[in-house]
Amino acid sequence: AKEKAPLPAGPIFMENPDGTITEAVPADYIPPKLRSARRDWSAARRQSLINEDSDGSSGNLSEGAAASMYQEVDFLYSRHERIFVLLLFVQLLLEALYNFVYLLRMRDGSSVVEFMAMYGWRVNLRAVQCLLWGVFGGQAIYTAVYYIIAGLAILTKRP
């Protein structure tokens, strides 16, 4: 019969799939140096130990560190926002070019003739034109709503 390995009495370290290391501390773990003074603890001290990280910090940043962290996050957000706006602008230009070509092809009638030749339908020419203009209208409404939502996300700084 195999003997089971004893469970670790303290914190263990695990590697996440992305390669970072995480420390897992049991909820009832008390550091060895504090076990002897167990009887002297007040309820407040016990609560503070529960809220502390394994390195003894309470997880709260000092005012300067918090301000620095906020500035760094704000800076990174502004950089991402600029790239997002640039990508939206490039996408808008490409969609405008697509719509320009679509309109040219609709005005000269080549889109309707190509559609009828491709699918071999024996339908009225006017019905195909209405279908293609309807598709264009739907795409135009979708594009407008898309850019309105993107603009609101940029202005409000919320997704």
Side-chain angles (χ1 to χ4, degrees):
K2 270 187 171 178
E3 290 185 30
K4 291 185 179 179
L7 293 174
I12 59 171
F13 295 91
M14 299 184 299
E15 184 176 356
N16 293 322
D18 65 354
T20 59
I21 303 294
T22 301
E23 180 180 10
V25 181
D28 60 347
Y29 176 71
I30 300 171
K33 65 182 180 182
L34 299 175
R35 283 188 184 159
S36 63
R38 180 181 242 172
R39 293 179 205 100
D40 299 334
W41 287 351
S42 66
R45 176 68 181 139
R46 286 185 189 158
Q47 189 61 37
S48 71
L49 279 178
I50 290 171
N51 293 334
E52 283 184 358
D53 290 339
S54 61
D55 63 355
S57 69
S58 63
N60 296 332
L61 297 173
S62 68
E63 289 294 323
S68 175
M69 180 81 69
Y70 175 77
Q71 288 174 347
E72 185 174 343
V73 168
D74 193 48
F75 171 75
L76 288 174
Y77 178 83
S78 68
R79 297 294 291 236
H80 282 88
E81 184 180 36
R82 287 182 193 168
I83 292 171
F84 180 62
V85 169
L86 176 69
L87 289 173
L88 279 174
F89 182 70
V90 169
Q91 183 181 2
L92 180 65
L93 289 178
L94 291 173
E95 286 186 24
L97 179 63
Y98 171 81
N99 290 336
F100 178 73
V101 171
Y102 191 98
L103 291 172
L104 282 178
R105 297 290 186 160
M106 283 298 291
R107 293 192 82 205
D108 69 5
S110 60
S111 290
V112 175
V113 171
E114 211 172 300
F115 183 87
M116 292 179 74
M118 184 181 295
Y119 293 105
W121 291 351
R122 301 205 186 278
V123 292
N124 186 358
L125 185 69
R126 183 74 179 138
V128 173
Q129 282 179 334
C130 287
L131 174 70
L132 291 177
W133 280 115
V135 168
F136 179 75
Q139 190 266 339
I141 291 170
Y142 174 82
T143 300
V145 170
Y146 177 84
Y147 285 105
I148 288 170
I149 291 172
L152 288 174
I154 291 168
L155 291 175
T156 62
K157 295 188 177 192
R158 298 182 76 189

